[in-house]
Amino acid sequence: MTRSTLNTFRLYATGKKTVPLTVEKYPGFQRDDKYKKLTSTDVDYFRSIVGDTGLIYQNEDDLEAFNTDWMNKFRGQSQLVLKPKTTQQVSDILKYCNEQKIAVVPQGGNTGLVGGSVPLFDEVVVSLQGMNQIRSFDDVSGILTADAGCVLESLDNWLGEKGFMMPLDLGAKGSCHIGGNLATNAGGLRLVRYGSLHGTVLGIEAVLPDGTILDSMSTLRKDNTGYDLKQLFIGSEGTIGIITGISILTPRRPSAIHVALLGVDSFEDVQKAFKQSRIQLSEILSAFEYYDNNAFQIFKKHNDARSIMDNEYPFYVLIETSGSNKDHDEEKLNTYLEDMMTDGIAQDGVVAQDESQSKRIWGVREGLTEALGKEPAVYKYDISMPVSKINDCVLEMRDHLEQGGAFGKPDSPVIDVVGYGHVGDGNLHLNIPAKSADPRVLELIEPFLFEWVSKQKGSISAEHGLGISKNQYLSYSKSESMIKLMKTFKSVLDPNGILNPYKYLPTK
Amino acid sequence: MSNPLRIFVPVKRVVDFAVKVRVNPAKTDVDRNVKHSMNPFDEIAVEEAVRIKEAKKAEKKEVEVVAISCGTAKAQETLRTALAMGADRAVHVEVKDDATLQPLAVAKLLKAFTDKEEKKPDLFILGKQAIDDDANQTGQMLAGLLNWPQTTFASKVTIENEALKVTREIDGGLETLETKIPAIITTDLRLNEPRYASLPNIMKAKKKPLVKITPEDLGIDVSPRIQTIKVEEPAKREGGRKVESVDELVDKLKNEAKVL
């Protein structure tokens, strides 16, 4: 590995973004020549739709943010970014692109973790950031309709004033768009309580690749009339339509939230704690997260955080309850926590006494991804499997890397293998920080990990999606006939293949 | 200094520091239907008392930390937090409506309690002010009523035998005072960082004694001396603007902002 390539990954140390182009870093991508190369006529036409302020053309500095993903892992070569302000503009854009066979990448908050939100070649980026209006809200039913470009945290704050909340929460909330959340079927920290977007989304407004505006913005809680098309768009990662509006059922903001952190000795104890929480906390449980001490050490490396507990433990469990009655919830939680201590499942624990403490406890769990991002290189995997297998995955990966000569010695390229995640949902965020991006390490990890997950009948991408990171491995989690049917849908809705090419479905 | 050293820590249940405070529709008070927790400066006071206790334990000296709160029944939550942080026992002075309970009344209650207690306190450690009224009066008034020395805005506290040494944060820098015990200390932000309530301690706290008394038991009239007439939100901050020239700036400062 040459010095210059090493430097490209020391992004935080040098401060200058010299992210290599995705197509140079990952050879094997070929620009499909069926897609038109932009001409000035095309740009003028787009200008007539969105106006001078609605596009960025050939300005490298301004284009950089749209061409590069949040982790600085992927960079595309788009020359044009369009920022429509209305659904009609999106429709006009796509209609033209479909006729001219111009490839398009829809983009929300650009916080995706699988390279799905940035171009590979010269695809035109259609950014939804100009469409950020809340359309309506019914405070009896809690049904919210909004533009797809609304930032999740802004929506949550707006709803908070009215006593409601968004039914999902994730670390990227300050930047991600609700449209992007839908396109990736984002899960997040509260799925265990509020369920997935497939349940909370009531309606979608989307623009199909040929420009047709599909208005499915129902605000009805119950409507069994025909195929539920919106479900196809949720999790479609911008490959069969651009989502421009959403209608979502929002729950009431709980008046009583409690946060506790437990230190436990083994993963068996993590599972026991979870099983008991289902029994004793059941309807008030709103989050059940875990992280191992290895992940916590990386966090400590990059944060000045004061310790929450006196000692360190092999595993930590973060429990949050949400309910409408503080006294009832406190009693349930205290009984549960006491039982955890007396039964020896928890070795120690802490209960937040005020909001600041709650924020700090959550801050550790929510800050793990960012801390890992500050390591010279990190291989990130988001997988789901039976809960009992989660820690086995971490241990076996460590073992495998050690046997492969990549881990365990002072000069090994791999720094550690750490695990954390939504243990309540069987979702592990497996992270492998390394001293540099070493292809030998990648070869050891993939496809070993995917084969392992496949054996557990798990998912190679629990919530992050496929993008360009995992699309070629789809067969590890879905059968041939399913993939074939998916490709059929894609070809029916996007016959020219203009939306987000090279991604999502396997290209072979 | 009696053996053991007795530290009394008054604590107040206030609107949680992180909550966005709103004025109620009647404009008579803030909306109190929100999350409450222990006043942050009182947390620091409890933490300091517990640290003194732990330090003296190493010297084989006994310290008793007593948490006291004047308020409605909900004040007991705050006392439980104090017990979970390490206080030995708690006293709840139950008042019907604590929205009108003012610093002078609290100081009088604490003085009357001190007079009544057989086991007299050697130290009162209070938060310098409550974050709801920002009064910064109770500690000082209590010192006046008890006729004890007061060391306010403490950022460092040391107890050596009978002497109390306190470093205070003042406008000019730091001032160190030495005085005799019994005395009053009020805590400032940099005195310490309060601990989290650990599970084992929360469990132990359940068994610690919590005694309830009333202002009538203490013979104190807690009716307010000050009446709040109106509560309003501050004027909304207007957005800033860019100006093209110095002349324009001067013009705007003169004619719009009217500060020149």
Side-chain angles (χ1 to χ4, degrees):
Chain A
M1 173 119 333
T2 63
R3 182 117 201 122
S4 58
T5 347
L6 256 172
N7 276 336
T8 59
F9 295 100
R10 297 205 176 279
L11 303 161
Y12 293 90
T14 60
K16 180 162 188 338
K17 273 191 262 200
T18 41
V19 182
L21 291 175
T22 308
V23 296
E24 284 170 13
K25 194 168 148 193
Y26 301 103
F29 286 106
Q30 193 79 320
R31 188 190 184 281
D32 193 329
D33 282 328
K34 75 175 180 189
Y35 300 118
K36 183 182 181 187
K37 291 212 166 117
L38 277 179
T39 64
S40 51
T41 323
D42 299 323
V43 180
D44 288 336
Y45 182 73
F46 290 130
R47 210 187 292 271
S48 72
I49 301 174
V50 294
D52 278 320
T53 53
L55 55 65
I56 299 172
Y57 182 52
Q58 287 187 334
N59 182 330
E60 287 302 321
D61 288 333
D62 288 349
L63 286 168
E64 192 174 359
F66 297 90
N67 268 320
T68 318
D69 80 321
W70 175 76
M71 290 183 303
N72 289 325
K73 204 168 170 182
F74 304 107
R75 186 157 75 96
Q77 307 162 64
S78 176
Q79 294 293 295
L80 177 66
V81 172
L82 299 174
K83 295 191 268 183
K85 279 205 139 69
T86 67
T87 308
Q88 188 57 50
Q89 286 177 1
V90 177
S91 166
D92 293 338
I93 291 169
L94 280 186
K95 183 156 186 281
Y96 184 77
C97 289
N98 191 35
E99 285 162 6
Q100 301 293 317
K101 297 204 183 26
I102 296 172
V104 167
V105 171
Q107 191 180 91
N110 198 6
T111 56
L113 297 169
V114 289
S117 54
V118 292
L120 267 111
F121 299 98
D122 58 341
E123 300 95 284
V124 172
V125 174
V126 174
S127 167
L128 273 294
Q129 58 178 231
M131 295 181 63
N132 58 5
Q133 297 302 305
I134 292 176
R135 297 186 188 179
S136 72
F137 181 65
D138 177 341
D139 66 2
V140 172
S141 60
I143 296 175
L144 172 78
T145 64
D147 287 347
C150 292
V151 172
L152 181 62
E153 194 170 38
S154 312
L155 287 175
D156 193 53
N157 288 341
W158 190 90
L159 288 168
E161 309 263 308
K162 298 180 166 32
F164 287 81
M165 60 179 273
M166 288 301 280
L168 77 163
D169 187 15
L170 42 150
K173 60 184 152 210
S175 308
C176 62
H177 293 184
I178 188 63
N181 289 148
L182 259 71
T184 54
N185 189 23
L189 304 158
R190 302 236 156 61
L191 191 133
V192 71
R193 166 66 167 262
Y194 298 112
S196 97
L197 285 172
H198 283 294
T200 51
V201 171
L202 299 177
I204 279 183
E205 179 193 83
V207 180
L208 297 180
D210 67 0
T212 309
I213 299 175
L214 204 68
D215 181 0
S216 180
M217 281 290 268
S218 165
T219 51
L220 298 172
R221 189 75 184 80
K222 301 171 87 168
D223 179 15
N224 282 346
T225 53
Y227 296 115
D228 194 2
L229 294 174
K230 67 174 185 290
Q231 299 298 352
L232 206 57
F233 291 94
I234 298 173
S236 62
E237 298 185 35
T239 55
I240 52 173
I242 296 186
I243 298 171
T244 50
I246 64 125
S247 167
I248 189 166
L249 184 65
T250 67
R252 279 230 80 114
R253 208 175 202 88
S255 47
I257 301 181
H258 292 93
V259 177
L261 184 71
L262 297 177
V264 306
D265 270 342
S266 69
F267 195 71
E268 275 72 46
D269 289 335
V270 172
Q271 293 177 78
K272 282 185 198 156
F274 178 59
K275 195 163 167 209
Q276 266 313 101
S277 73
R278 284 291 217 203
I279 298 171
Q280 290 182 270
L281 301 174
S282 55
E283 72 278 5
I284 61 168
L285 185 69
S286 58
F288 195 98
E289 300 283 308
Y290 102 103
Y291 51 94
D292 59 23
N293 199 18
N294 307 60
F296 184 52
Q297 295 310 312
I298 307 272
F299 178 82
K300 277 194 343 188
K301 232 168 123 180
H302 300 282
N303 288 280
D304 229 341
R306 191 187 122 228
S307 353
I308 297 175
M309 284 188 254
D310 290 331
N311 299 312
E312 291 188 353
Y313 298 92
F315 297 93
Y316 296 94
V317 167
L318 193 162
I319 299 170
E320 185 193 76
T321 66
S322 300
S324 51
N325 187 310
K326 184 178 197 292
D327 296 330
H328 294 175
D329 288 1
E330 223 164 49
E331 212 188 299
K332 285 183 190 158
L333 182 62
N334 284 336
T335 311
Y336 166 75
L337 292 173
E338 261 181 54
D339 289 348
M340 288 295 101
M341 291 286 307
T342 48
D343 293 346
I345 296 174
Q347 300 310 309
D348 195 3
V350 140
V351 180
Q353 297 299 311
D354 57 40
E355 279 298 300
S356 320
Q357 288 187 354
S358 295
K359 282 201 172 78
R360 259 177 279 146
I361 293 175
W362 265 115
V364 177
R365 165 63 185 89
E366 288 186 301
L368 291 172
T369 305
E370 203 185 311
L372 282 154
K374 292 187 177 155
E375 292 291 299
V378 63
Y379 297 93
K380 307 180 74 66
Y381 297 93
D382 157 51
I383 44 195
S384 67
M385 63 198 74
V387 176
S388 53
K389 291 278 170 210
I390 287 178
N391 196 46
D392 289 343
C393 186
V394 178
L395 295 174
E396 288 186 34
M397 178 55 75
R398 229 177 253 148
D399 221 27
H400 178 75
L401 289 173
E402 204 172 330
Q403 284 179 20
F407 174 62
K409 298 208 180 66
D411 59 347
S412 300
V414 168
I415 295 171
D416 203 350
V417 177
V418 312
Y420 58 94
H422 321 291
V423 68
D425 308 326
N427 187 185
L428 167 67
H429 290 313
L430 182 75
N431 280 257
I432 301 167
K435 295 183 188 135
S436 64
D438 191 335
R440 291 180 298 139
V441 174
L442 190 60
E443 267 168 44
L444 274 172
I445 301 173
E446 299 177 15
F448 170 77
L449 180 64
F450 299 136
E451 283 165 359
W452 192 95
V453 170
S454 188
K455 255 189 248 140
Q456 311 303 326
K457 301 230 186 331
S459 166
I460 56 161
S461 188
E463 57 180 6
H464 292 170
L466 300 166
I468 55 163
S469 284
K470 298 180 211 169
N471 56 333
Q472 309 297 15
Y473 297 107
L474 188 50
S475 53
Y476 282 102
S477 285
K478 288 285 186 316
S479 66
E480 277 313 302
S481 45
M482 290 189 84
I483 297 177
K484 198 161 160 219
L485 194 56
M486 291 184 201
K487 287 187 170 172
T488 308
F489 274 119
K490 165 76 172 170
S491 62
V492 162
L493 289 160
D494 188 10
N496 291 325
I498 59 163
L499 277 186
N500 241 353
Y502 318 110
K503 300 175 186 151
Y504 195 63
L505 293 174
T507 52
K508 284 134 196 141
Chain B
M1 181 169 91
S2 42
N3 191 4
L5 176 71
R6 271 180 239 286
I7 308 178
F8 281 18
V9 185
V11 295
K12 186 179 181 187
R13 179 176 177 267
V14 297
V15 170
D16 187 290
F17 165 67
V19 165
K20 218 178 189 177
V21 171
R22 292 255 120 81
V23 178
N24 68 8
K27 290 207 177 175
T28 52
D29 197 0
V30 294
D31 177 16
R32 293 197 191 251
N33 212 352
V34 292
K35 184 160 170 59
H36 281 63
S37 46
M38 190 192 290
N39 182 32
F41 294 107
D42 299 350
E43 277 182 2
I44 294 173
V46 175
E47 175 65 23
E48 195 60 24
V50 175
R51 283 193 191 186
I52 293 172
K53 178 172 156 186
E54 289 168 346
K56 291 294 170 191
K57 197 169 181 194
E59 298 168 30
K60 301 269 198 278
K61 293 216 180 91
E62 248 200 81
V63 175
E64 190 194 30
V65 177
V66 184
I68 312 168
S69 193
C70 306
T72 63
K74 293 201 174 164
Q76 293 202 11
E77 294 164 7
T78 315
L79 287 170
R80 291 260 163 248
T81 301
L83 290 171
M85 283 174 73
D88 297 297
R89 60 183 170 95
V91 176
H92 175 208
V93 182
E94 188 163 15
V95 162
K96 296 243 169 27
D97 173 17
D98 55 18
T100 56
L101 191 64
Q102 284 159 8
L104 182 57
V106 174
K108 285 184 182 173
L109 285 170
L110 293 173
K111 158 109 179 27
F113 180 71
T114 307
D115 290 342
K116 219 170 167 218
E117 270 282 281
E118 261 187 53
K119 307 175 186 170
K120 299 276 178 231
D122 303 295
L123 267 183
F124 267 94
I125 307 184
L126 302 92
K128 72 173 179 182
Q129 64 201 57
I131 60 170
D132 52 5
D133 59 14
D134 274 347
N136 188 357
Q137 295 167 3
T138 312
Q140 292 89 331
M141 285 175 169
L142 181 60
L145 291 172
L146 284 171
N147 203 20
W148 286 8
Q150 54 176 285
T151 54
T152 53
F153 314 118
S155 64
K156 191 161 161 33
V157 170
T158 347
I159 302 179
E160 282 150 39
N161 303 314
E162 298 273 339
L164 173 69
K165 208 163 157 187
V166 170
T167 306
R168 310 175 59 225
E169 294 194 0
I170 58 172
D171 285 348
L174 298 171
E175 176 190 64
T176 307
L177 295 179
E178 226 184 85
T179 183
K180 279 220 166 98
I181 288 175
I184 305 277
I185 304 173
T186 74
T187 67
D188 212 327
L189 203 58
R190 274 159 283 276
L191 177 56
N192 62 47
E193 224 185 307
R195 64 194 59 194
Y196 290 85
S198 74
L199 275 185
N201 286 340
I202 293 175
M203 283 162 64
K204 277 189 221 148
K206 294 206 166 152
K207 307 198 183 86
K208 295 182 184 174
L210 195 158
V211 167
K212 198 166 76 167
I213 54 178
T214 65
E216 290 73 43
D217 296 335
L218 297 172
I220 298 291
D221 171 17
V222 295
S223 33
R225 303 288 185 84
I226 303 170
Q227 184 197 4
T228 302
I229 299 179
K230 195 164 63 159
V231 177
E232 271 183 342
E233 281 194 15
K236 286 231 179 310
R237 188 172 173 274
E238 287 188 22
R241 273 174 293 172
K242 271 177 147 168
V243 291
E244 296 295 309
S245 66
V246 176
D247 290 331
E248 202 187 330
L249 176 65
V250 172
D251 172 58
K252 287 205 191 293
L253 287 174
K254 234 193 237 175
N255 300 318
E256 281 185 42
K258 296 204 172 40
V259 292
L260 283 182

